[in-house]
Amino acid sequence: MSMPTFPQNDPPLSREGSLNEIIASIAAEELSLSHILNAEGEKLQYVLGTLPGLDEAASLDEVLRINQSVKDTLSGIVEQQMMLSAKLGAALKAPTIPGPAGPAGPAGPTGPDGAAGATGADGPAGPDGAAGTTGAAGPTGPAGAAGPTGPTGAAGPQGVTAEGVARNGATGPTGATGPTGATGPTGATGPNPTAAAAFAANTQGPAINVPAYSGVAIPLPDAQVMSADITVNPENTVFQVNKKGVYLLSYRVNLTKPAQVGTKLIINSMSRTTSSVIPAVPTASFENQYTHLMNAGETLRLQLCAAPLPGLSPTPQTVTLAGASLSIILLEER
């Protein structure tokens, strides 16, 4: 019997890459569970006859059977959530290794040229020129009649003495090239995409009063794992991110019994519709996840809010929390 073979990763996964793969797989499982919960909610809407286009509602016996089926499914999902929560906590606690060093900086500029060498000494003087020849004597004038003797012819001009031309001394040699400048500093270390992450939960099961027309923050004081780029206020209700980027935001809330309430995330005191879970029937389990671009200094809160039935006004609710958790993961720094 042959041994099993496993596919080779090319390039091989690093420790940091493996942690990212684990966190991404947890996020995918959370998304899958949210689709299952949505399907269960539509199943309840169908048997209650609240979906558009239905002619008649199901019988009481059918409603009871569907209710038991949904209850069994939610029980399995809660167990799966506990396992995913533990897996995420372990992944976030794993120490990260700094990213590789950046490329070396460019070489420094070339140093200036050396100073010019000293001028060489003057060369020796050239030889004297040759002496010029004496001019020929002028002819004797003819004897004049009883006249005076004619003057003696003037002597020819003496040749000019040529002087040797002095040669200039040779120019001194060019100075040596200056030394090469120092190498520039090493570039900064590249960013670590998982450097900012946080997880917090509530496992104490407190009773929470939900107002009729506003939400109430859920405290998350337990099992906190937070990097230096994410902080929380003393009440453990407001989380602040200190690095700009695209974050994966996910949460889950479980109650001890179904209630007519919903959940949502508040970013900088504003409700985000894509993060809200507002069921049409009393519900005991809520969860959602989505990505959001957050600036440095923005805050985040997980809230319970009233979810009135169609055609009715919202009413105050008192619910007992079975458990809640919030996960904040930086996917891409901007």
Side-chain angles (χ1 to χ4, degrees), residues 118-121 168-174:
T119 304
N168 292 328
T171 304
T174 303

Side-chain angles (χ1 to χ4, degrees), residues 201-251:
N202 189 316
T203 60
Q204 302 172 16
I208 298 179
N209 296 321
V210 182
Y213 292 95
S214 63
V216 58
I218 301 175
L220 302 168
D222 306 316
Q224 290 185 352
V225 179
M226 287 184 286
S227 63
D229 296 308
I230 300 178
T231 57
V232 63
N233 68 342
E235 291 76 22
N236 297 294
T237 56
V238 180
F239 296 81
Q240 177 174 307
V241 300
N242 297 313
K243 182 179 289 186
K244 181 179 180 180
V246 178
Y247 287 81
L248 175 64
L249 308 176
S250 59
Y251 69 83

Side-chain angles (χ1 to χ4, degrees), residues 3-137:
M3 296 296 291
T5 60
F6 298 94
Q8 298 293 324
N9 289 321
D10 187 17
L13 282 175
S14 63
R15 176 186 176 83
E16 181 178 335
S18 299
L19 291 175
N20 287 342
E21 291 290 341
I22 292 173
I23 294 174
S25 69
I26 294 172
E29 289 185 72
E30 293 283 1
L31 183 59
S32 299
L33 292 177
S34 69
H35 286 299
I36 294 175
L37 285 172
N38 185 63
E40 294 300 306
E42 291 183 350
K43 186 190 297 182
L44 287 174
Q45 288 179 301
Y46 178 81
V47 300
L48 293 175
T50 59
L51 288 177
L54 294 179
D55 296 331
E56 61 182 11
S59 65
L60 177 60
D61 183 60
E62 290 174 329
V63 171
L64 292 176
R65 289 203 305 270
I66 291 298
N67 183 65
Q68 183 60 40
S69 172
V70 171
K71 182 178 179 180
D72 293 341
T73 301
L74 291 180
S75 178
I77 291 176
V78 169
E79 293 177 0
Q80 181 70 11
Q81 284 298 321
M82 297 297 289
M83 182 187 70
L84 291 179
S85 176
K87 185 189 296 186
L88 179 61
L92 293 177
K93 289 179 181 178
T96 57
I97 300 175
T110 303
D113 293 339
T119 304
D122 292 339
D128 294 338
T133 58
T134 302

